[in-house]
């Protein structure tokens, strides 16, 4: 695929969250029966529960780290909390899912209150199993800095979806 037509580039996931990379491993994220495809729309009610995540690879001695972040927190027009960390799982064996990994930061479902938020799942290949410390705060996480700190290099896969608040929730009420 041409770099200029890559949906991760067009949506500025590459740029805001990631440096350019070449996909080398499969990553499949499924909420209930809905598979996450770049740019698809999912409502908060569809992402309450942790998704099923399947990781490719062919060497069972290879491990991966999965990061889920919102670069648009608290609002896309004022993302001063970006990146908000929704999930962090390490030591995921190749050809399995995150349920076999080490959940460092538990899944927190997205609950955007304003605007359309991009939620990115980023997969890194680990050089070895390593103890990863949970960040003190979910706010202002930085995926690039995290990858540098743990010597993860560039991602091997990524996918994102858009999420906005449900219709009919909140807002002005006339009585």
């Amino acid at each position: 695929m041409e770099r200029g037509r890559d949906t991760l580039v067009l949506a500025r996931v590459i740029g805001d969250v990631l440096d350019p990379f070449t996909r080398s491993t499969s990553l499949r994220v499924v909420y209930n029966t809905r598979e996450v495809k770049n740019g698809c729309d999912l409502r908060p009610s569809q992402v309450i529960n942790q998704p099923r995540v399947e990781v490719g690879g062919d060497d069972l001695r290879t491990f991966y780290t999965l990061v889920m972040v919102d670069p648009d927190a608290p609002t896309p027009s004022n993302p001063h909390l970006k990146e908000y960390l929704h999930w962090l799982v390490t030591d995921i064996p190749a050809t399995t899912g995150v349920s076999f990994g080490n959940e460092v930061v538990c899944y927190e479902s997205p609950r955007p209150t304003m605007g359309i938020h991009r939620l990115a799942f980023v997969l890194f290949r680990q050089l070895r199993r390593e103890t990863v410390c949970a960040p003190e705060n979910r706010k202002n996480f930085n995926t690039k800095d995290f990858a540098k700190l743990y010597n993860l290099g560039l991602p091997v896969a990524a996918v994102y979806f858009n999420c906005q608040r449900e219709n009919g929730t909140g807002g002005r009420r006339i009585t």
Side-chain angles (χ1 to χ4, degrees):
M1 178 181 287
E2 241 180 79
R3 179 60 63 195
R5 294 179 180 257
D6 185 337
T7 53
L8 292 170
V9 172
L10 294 173
R12 294 184 339 269
V13 172
I14 291 180
D16 290 350
V17 179
L18 306 172
D19 289 326
F21 70 97
T22 300
R23 178 188 203 103
S24 61
T25 302
S26 64
L27 172 64
R28 187 168 185 252
V29 179
V30 180
Y31 282 98
N32 297 318
T33 59
R34 181 99 187 264
E35 184 172 353
V36 174
K37 299 287 188 186
N38 283 333
C40 72
D41 294 317
L42 294 170
R43 299 290 184 183
S45 61
Q46 296 173 297
V47 297
I48 290 172
N49 298 315
Q50 171 180 313
R52 186 176 78 248
V53 177
E54 299 167 1
V55 175
D58 53 10
D59 183 354
L60 295 177
R61 294 170 296 182
T62 302
F63 293 92
Y64 296 91
T65 293
L66 179 75
V67 174
M68 178 186 177
V69 293
D70 177 351
D72 300 315
T75 67
S77 61
N78 185 19
H80 67 272
L81 301 179
K82 76 173 180 180
E83 300 161 26
Y84 188 88
L85 179 64
H86 281 273
W87 201 18
L88 175 59
V89 184
T90 64
D91 300 327
I92 305 164
T95 71
T96 68
V98 295
S99 58
F100 293 95
N102 175 32
E103 189 175 61
V104 177
V105 175
C106 65
Y107 179 79
E108 181 180 309
S109 63
R111 294 182 301 275
T113 56
M114 185 179 295
I116 299 171
H117 291 241
R118 298 164 294 163
L119 280 294
F121 292 91
V122 184
L123 188 69
F124 295 96
R125 179 176 290 120
Q126 296 174 208
L127 296 177
R128 63 188 172 282
R129 289 185 117 167
E130 185 170 349
T131 302
V132 173
C133 298
E136 292 180 22
N137 196 329
R138 290 178 184 258
K139 299 172 186 172
N140 301 116
F141 182 82
N142 186 301
T143 301
K144 292 176 191 176
D145 290 348
F146 174 80
K148 286 178 191 166
L149 178 64
Y150 290 102
N151 200 24
L152 297 171
L154 292 173
V156 294
V159 66
Y160 84 98
F161 68 93
N162 294 314
C163 190
Q164 61 185 315
R165 79 177 203 182
E166 307 277 342
N167 288 334
T169 58
R172 181 180 290 180
R173 294 184 183 204
I174 299 173
T175 54

